[in-house]
Amino acid sequence: MLAKRIIPCLDVDHGKVKKGINFKNLVDVGSPVEIAAEYELQGADELVFLDITATLDQRKTMAETVEEVSKQVFMPLTVGGGIKSEEAMHELLQSGADKISLNSAAINDPELITDGAERFGSQCIVCAIDVKKDVGTGRYQVYSKGGTENTGLDAIKWAKKAVELGAGELLVTSMDCDGTKQGFDIDLYQQIGEAVHVPIIASGGAGKKEDFLDVFQKTPVTGALAASLFHFGELKIEELKKYLEENGVNVRR
Amino acid sequence: MIVAVDYGAGNLANVLKAFRYLDEEVSASSSPTTIRQADGIILPGVGAFGSAMDELKKRRLNQVLYEEAKAGKPLLGICLGMQLLFDESDEFGVHEGLHLIPGRVEAFPKDIDLLVPQMGWNQNVVNNEQSIFADVLDGSYTYFVHSYYAKCDQQYVVSYTNYGVKVPSCVEFKNVYGMQFHPEKSGEKGLEMLERFIERVDE
């Protein structure tokens, strides 16, 4: 049986790992290679690198960082942030990335998902979706450009479309929960899990080990992502996995 | 020296990085001469079976690989590279493989509710205790990405992983080895397995 995945997310800016609270107020927490190696030791199952400011600043992504990390860390690496072309995907995959995460660019140009999937395989293409609940209607809406712009797209519909276009995995971030440490948005992942038949990674809101158990028990997500919780050592992955295993969740140990 | 076969099917870079991390001299090549001179051969591969075989044939590497393996040179196929070792595959029509291990490659059964591809960490159960990989594989999780799986006599199966069906995760026939998972993406355990292959090559 496949193990549920614990995935630290490294928000990278100018080659340094950062973590924003609700995508703002960045705090430097160090070198990508060192952090990645530490996470490998701790038992992380995958790593996600997000060039969080790339879309805003129209900057190129971080092939060099990926190259360095993949020389020393031997687990699946997903890279996202500011990737707008097949060529950029190719460059990052050549540098050592295993998967490419598309966010704003896929919203602007949905065919980018298909182009990437056809050329590199669906297993390489992750569609990242930043979601916020509309207070009035209770509907989940998709935000783009680092969570700054409401696209008006319905999150469940967009998730389905992304999968139809060829995305092999979805990385769904609840902006409402992100940084709050109050737990994952269970309702969101139940809805998306019913809508699509690909692996889903839950992101946003993890504050304690019980939150991970909750999302794995109540929703079909196969991975859970967190950043500051792990970066600041508030929760050790080893300890988290032990807890999950004791509570019947299949994890890699 | 170990040579990884470069035939335009998938990303070699991470396999090379893993060997270099282990301080093993390794190069990527599509030259029959270089491959024939190697002490050990890695056959990587991502993509579809038929087109990968076409790429090998275009470079006449199918023959080179067959002869070198039959002559006793250690050969390790990874992921699609493992599948190519078998007689044939059903992927997008029936395609002939390298005939280095008896067996065939088939799609996951449609009647089981599975996410395909199998993508993620799954646990290995050892079937052949005598294998050079057995103790490393025993109970360990490795990283898989695949939509097809091998069916072969259990004498060739070093380990299984369970994904609705019993998936041969590591296979072996004399000097020919195959791993359905990506050892270069399977952390410390994966590196240990590559180390075992290096030791086998150095024998």
Side-chain angles (χ1 to χ4, degrees):
Chain A
M1 205 168 57
L2 277 183
K4 298 285 188 183
R5 298 167 293 162
I6 301 299
I7 309 170
C9 177
L10 284 65
D11 290 352
V12 178
D13 182 26
H14 290 98
K16 287 279 186 185
V17 177
K18 309 213 167 194
K19 170 61 193 173
I21 306 301
N22 285 331
F23 297 119
K24 284 168 193 159
N25 305 321
L26 300 173
V27 183
D28 194 343
V29 287
S31 133
V33 177
E34 280 172 40
I35 292 179
E38 169 61 23
Y39 279 136
E40 185 171 41
L41 276 178
Q42 284 192 23
D45 298 307
E46 285 184 38
L47 292 175
V48 172
F49 291 87
L50 287 181
D51 196 347
I52 42 171
T53 47
T55 307
L56 283 173
D57 297 356
Q58 309 292 310
R59 262 187 282 104
K60 279 193 81 180
T61 42
M62 42 187 176
E64 279 172 30
T65 301
V66 177
E67 179 76 41
E68 287 313 306
V69 171
S70 64
K71 278 181 190 166
Q72 308 211 26
V73 173
F74 299 93
M75 67 169 129
L77 305 174
T78 298
V79 179
I83 301 164
K84 295 187 187 67
S85 66
E86 250 184 83
E87 270 330 289
M89 296 185 214
H90 181 68
E91 188 188 354
L92 288 161
L93 291 168
Q94 288 297 313
S95 302
D98 299 286
K99 303 187 229 179
I100 297 296
S101 166
L102 300 172
N103 192 332
S104 303
I107 294 166
N108 296 333
D109 175 16
E111 280 193 17
L112 193 58
I113 297 177
T114 311
D115 294 345
E118 282 178 358
R119 180 159 168 198
F120 309 112
S122 279
Q123 82 283 348
C124 277
I125 308 298
V126 181
C127 184
I129 308 179
D130 294 337
V131 174
K132 203 171 179 163
K133 201 173 196 167
D134 183 82
V135 188
T137 62
R139 286 200 166 173
Y140 290 108
Q141 292 192 308
V142 179
Y143 279 66
S144 73
K145 298 186 179 167
T148 57
E149 199 174 290
N150 185 349
T151 64
L153 288 169
D154 178 89
I156 311 301
K157 285 184 188 157
W158 172 234
K160 273 183 158 169
K161 187 171 176 199
V163 172
E164 279 164 20
L165 290 167
E169 183 164 37
L170 301 178
L171 165 52
V172 182
T173 301
S174 160
M175 294 173 61
D176 300 308
C177 296
D178 198 50
T180 65
K181 302 196 171 174
Q182 297 296 306
F184 293 97
D185 187 335
I186 300 298
D187 178 43
L188 171 64
Y189 300 111
Q190 283 172 341
Q191 287 193 34
I192 293 201
E194 272 174 33
V196 299
H197 199 60
V198 296
I200 299 163
I201 301 169
S203 155
K208 56 189 181 304
K209 50 188 195 256
E210 289 81 359
D211 297 334
F212 291 87
L213 181 63
D214 210 35
V215 82
F216 286 137
Q217 284 184 335
K218 292 181 182 162
T219 82
V221 301
T222 57
L225 177 145
S228 59
L229 188 66
F230 297 138
H231 295 335
F232 299 122
E234 293 164 43
L235 180 57
K236 291 275 187 226
I237 292 172
E238 215 177 336
E239 182 194 332
L240 169 61
K241 284 190 161 182
K242 184 168 179 278
Y243 171 80
L244 290 172
E245 189 178 49
E246 283 166 3
N247 284 279
V249 176
N250 184 31
V251 289
R252 174 179 72 110
R253 296 212 46 216
Chain B
M1 189 177 67
I2 289 176
V3 171
V5 184
D6 185 1
Y7 61 111
N11 194 346
L12 282 176
N14 287 329
V15 174
L16 298 177
K17 283 175 195 167
F19 279 102
R20 285 174 188 147
Y21 183 83
L22 296 168
D23 288 326
E24 178 65 20
E25 205 189 325
V26 63
S27 67
S29 178
S30 56
S31 144
T33 314
T34 309
I35 293 168
R36 287 193 193 277
Q37 283 167 352
D39 301 311
I41 302 169
I42 304 292
L43 181 61
V46 173
F49 191 101
S51 51
M53 277 307 292
D54 289 345
E55 294 294 329
L56 285 176
K57 285 179 190 161
K58 213 158 71 186
R59 296 167 174 82
R60 307 203 174 165
L61 293 174
N62 54 324
Q63 198 59 29
V64 175
L65 291 170
Y66 185 82
E67 287 168 13
E68 291 302 308
K70 286 297 177 190
K73 189 175 286 180
L75 167 65
L76 172 62
I78 296 174
C79 196
L80 177 64
M82 161 187 148
Q83 298 184 355
L84 296 175
L85 302 174
F86 289 94
D87 296 317
E88 60 178 18
S89 165
D90 285 344
E91 188 173 5
F92 301 120
V94 179
H95 297 277
E96 199 180 350
L98 292 168
H99 298 289
L100 288 169
I101 302 180
R104 63 194 318 281
V105 177
E106 298 179 5
F108 282 111
K110 298 268 183 288
D111 55 345
I112 306 175
D113 185 32
L114 294 170
L115 294 180
V116 173
Q118 160 166 238
M119 185 163 68
W121 297 85
N122 209 337
Q123 197 169 25
N124 296 287
V125 180
V126 170
N127 184 61
N128 172 6
E129 298 286 350
Q130 307 305 315
S131 169
I132 54 170
F133 303 114
D135 61 315
V136 189
L137 282 164
D138 186 23
S140 70
Y141 282 83
T142 50
Y143 188 75
F144 293 83
V145 182
H146 64 120
S147 301
Y148 290 75
Y149 73 108
K151 275 190 166 173
C152 62
D153 191 280
Q154 63 112 20
Q155 66 174 301
Y156 308 117
V157 178
V158 176
S159 63
Y160 287 105
T161 194
N162 189 357
Y163 195 60
V165 290
K166 277 167 95 177
V167 174
S169 52
C170 180
V171 292
E172 175 178 325
F173 181 37
K174 297 180 183 168
N175 52 305
V176 178
Y177 306 90
M179 292 174 184
Q180 180 61 71
F181 52 84
H182 287 274
E184 79 282 11
K185 284 285 154 186
S186 296
E188 204 182 315
K189 292 286 180 186
L191 292 175
E192 268 180 63
M193 289 181 224
L194 294 179
E195 190 87 65
R196 291 290 167 91
F197 181 72
I198 294 169
E199 286 165 15
R200 173 71 177 78
V201 171
D202 290 345
E203 267 173 20

